[in-house]
Amino acid sequence: MDDEVEVPQYFICPISLQIMKDPVTTVSGITYDRESIEHWLSTAKDTTCCPVTKQPMPRDSDLTPNHTLRRLIQSWCVLNANKGVDRIPTPKSPMNKSHVVKLVRNLNVPEFHAQALKKMEEIAGESEKSRACMVEAGAVKAMISWITRRFKEGKFESVEECLKILHLIWKPTEDAKEMVKENGDLIDSLLWVLSSEMEEKENNVSAKTHALLVLRTVVEITSSALLERLKLNFFNVIVAVTRENISSQATKAALRVLIQVCPFGRNRLKIVECGAVFELIELELNNPEKSLTELIFCLLAQLCACADGRAQFLKHAGGIAMVAKRILRVSPATDDRAVHVLSSVARFSATNEVVMEMLRVGAVSKICMVLQANSDMGLKRKAREVLRLHSNVWNNDSPCIAVYLLTKDPR
């Protein structure tokens, strides 16, 4: 749209501040874009207030289509098309539960299956209300059933589409917990997708990415008993995905899965056994994303809390240097976890060689900088403890490490 085009104020949604595509009027008399007000209402627990008038507005408030305003907006768009204004299409009728129920039933009819699945994917991408309607109609259970059935048959038919739909509509609700709390078949099905290769590379990336996104939801809501029973193969597959780095979204989802399951049972040792520490360091050495760095350091700090994790960390020639380099460069959360890693190493794995390497690659200098920087007092206390552990060696071998940094009380 050209900068000189002036949009009438009453065409603008008060929530999204964009031109309304499907204007609807609420009980408070204010008109909003349907998607924006539906999202506003869906995030409320019981009741909420009108964003403009602040009047109480029930979550199930009626939304009356404002056809007159929609036609005015569409006409205005057509008149200004030569100025770069896109035409607003006529919105579809709101989805109803009975229609989705019919689509779910058609999944089991061979001649209607592909068409039903395509339509469900379209509906899932429309709006929050449409997705909620699909959940009520039993679409989540149908998708899970289809994926596990295909796993047992060893066929990839429609699995990618089902994973896409499941990711879009599935939320970690109480009903969802009941579906998966002891459902090992679903986890096995997702691992099957992650460890398989499809003919089309694009389909392969999409299927694995959505499988990881679904798996992330599964591990958030499944029972702790099931998480404690996860086998080594589970971790081998997830770590392999981080090694492949098929997509940023997939890698982040894989790391979140490992972070979520790490505290249960002997999972931390299993993750280390799969070579995750080495892979995390390699991943971070080639990583430009702040959000990914935070996830890597969150998991790395947990894994270095055990002896096997620290041993694997120290075997990598660039481990200490990489951690030291990230301190004070990414975020306070990364600083905390990086100092935690160095603290674990300095406290429990500090051979003479390790202590001198920390000095040589700048880790000791960075810890001193934490004390000088505007850091959290808890982080400064942890950094000071690290310095005091080997102050006699570091002071003797490096005159640049000021003595007062080791003894000065926090202010």
Side-chain angles (χ1 to χ4, degrees):
M1 186 186 301
D2 294 345
D3 292 338
E4 65 269 16
V5 177
E6 184 176 348
V7 181
Q9 189 61 37
Y10 55 94
F11 286 3
I12 304 296
C13 172
I15 297 176
S16 68
L17 302 181
Q18 302 294 320
I19 297 176
M20 289 182 279
K21 298 178 180 178
D22 186 8
V24 292
T25 304
T26 64
V27 292
S28 64
I30 305 298
T31 299
Y32 301 92
D33 190 58
R34 181 185 292 277
E35 184 174 357
S36 297
I37 192 61
E38 283 181 350
H39 179 72
W40 178 280
L41 294 171
S42 68
T43 55
K45 293 183 179 179
D46 296 310
T47 59
T48 187
C49 295
C50 172
V52 173
T53 66
K54 307 304 179 185
Q55 295 177 8
M57 196 160 60
R59 185 175 179 179
D60 57 352
S61 295
D62 290 332
L63 302 176
T64 305
N66 193 328
H67 297 299
T68 301
L69 179 57
R70 175 175 56 77
R71 293 190 188 101
L72 285 173
I73 293 173
Q74 288 178 323
S75 298
W76 178 85
C77 289
V78 171
L79 289 173
N80 289 275
N82 61 340
K83 297 178 181 179
V85 178
D86 294 329
R87 183 181 180 279
I88 302 296
T90 301
K92 299 178 181 179
S93 301
M95 186 55 54
N96 60 73
K97 183 178 176 180
S98 60
H99 179 61
V100 182
V101 169
K102 183 179 179 181
L103 290 174
V104 170
R105 289 173 180 166
N106 284 346
L107 289 175
N108 296 313
V109 182
E111 55 266 34
F112 297 140
H113 168 77
Q115 185 179 356
L117 205 56
K118 183 178 179 181
K119 183 62 180 176
M120 290 176 74
E121 189 176 342
E122 290 177 5
I123 295 171
E126 286 177 359
S127 67
E128 193 65 36
K129 188 171 183 179
S130 296
R131 289 188 282 273
C133 182
M134 292 180 71
V135 172
E136 291 179 12
V140 171
K141 188 174 182 180
M143 293 302 102
I144 292 175
S145 175
W146 186 266
I147 292 167
T148 53
R149 187 194 314 170
R150 281 292 176 252
F151 159 61
K152 292 174 181 178
E153 294 172 350
K155 299 177 181 178
F156 273 112
E157 181 189 354
S158 306
V159 169
E160 181 191 351
E161 292 83 352
C162 289
L163 288 169
K164 285 182 183 178
I165 295 169
L166 191 55
H167 167 59
L168 286 170
I169 67 177
W170 205 16
K171 306 296 180 185
T173 62
E174 289 301 319
D175 288 342
K177 288 181 182 179
E178 288 300 315
M179 290 183 198
V180 302
K181 66 180 182 180
E182 289 294 335
N183 193 341
D185 284 346
L186 178 57
I187 292 179
D188 289 342
S189 301
L190 297 173
L191 292 179
W192 166 65
V193 175
L194 292 172
S195 57
S196 302
E197 295 294 331
M198 298 183 182
E199 293 182 3
E200 296 290 336
K201 183 178 179 181
E202 185 177 339
N203 293 344
N204 190 54
V205 171
S206 176
K208 290 189 176 183
T209 299
H210 285 96
L212 280 164
L213 292 170
V214 171
L215 183 59
R216 176 185 165 186
T217 302
V218 171
V219 298
E220 286 177 359
I221 60 179
T222 195
S223 68
S224 57
L226 184 56
L227 295 181
E228 289 173 356
R229 298 197 305 267
L230 292 173
K231 298 177 181 178
L232 187 62
N233 180 60
F234 175 93
F235 302 101
N236 275 321
V237 171
I238 305 302
V239 171
V241 172
T242 64
R243 187 185 305 116
E244 291 178 45
N245 198 15
I246 58 174
S247 70
S248 176
Q249 193 178 24
T251 301
K252 290 176 184 177
L255 292 176
R256 291 185 186 279
V257 168
L258 293 175
I259 290 168
Q260 184 72 27
V261 303
C262 188
F264 295 93
R266 295 176 56 83
N267 290 348
R268 182 166 57 184
L269 292 175
K270 293 175 183 176
I271 296 172
V272 171
E273 186 179 343
C274 295
V277 175
F278 188 92
E279 297 300 336
L280 290 174
I281 297 171
E282 287 292 309
L283 184 61
E284 180 55 29
L285 288 172
N286 300 287
N287 166 46
E289 288 189 63
K290 172 184 171 181
S291 57
L292 184 55
T293 293
E294 291 179 338
L295 292 173
I296 289 170
F297 272 76
C298 180
L299 182 57
L300 196 59
Q302 292 189 61
L303 299 181
C304 285
C306 69
D308 289 350
R310 290 190 298 274
Q312 197 173 112
F313 174 77
L314 293 173
K315 282 182 180 179
H316 195 294
I320 295 177
M322 181 275 289
V323 170
K325 188 175 181 179
R326 295 299 184 269
I327 295 176
L328 300 179
R329 288 192 174 189
V330 183
S331 67
T334 301
D335 294 342
D336 181 75
R337 284 148 187 169
V339 172
H340 181 83
V341 170
L342 294 179
S343 175
S344 297
V345 169
R347 190 178 299 275
F348 304 110
S349 305
T351 62
N352 289 334
E353 183 180 352
V354 170
V355 171
M356 293 310 299
E357 183 181 357
M358 290 181 69
L359 182 64
R360 180 174 56 82
V361 301
V364 180
S365 298
K366 269 297 183 72
I367 294 173
C368 288
M369 290 173 66
V370 169
L371 296 179
Q372 294 173 306
N374 185 25
S375 304
D376 177 76
M377 296 310 298
L379 181 62
K380 288 188 176 186
R381 183 169 58 252
K382 192 182 296 183
R384 187 173 289 103
E385 289 171 357
V386 175
L387 291 174
R388 285 173 176 165
L389 285 171
H390 307 287
S391 58
N392 56 332
V393 177
W394 291 330
N395 273 324
N396 293 334
D397 287 271
S398 179
C400 67
I401 307 299
V403 175
Y404 82 92
L405 289 174
L406 306 176
T407 59
K408 191 176 180 183
D409 291 330
R411 291 289 188 266

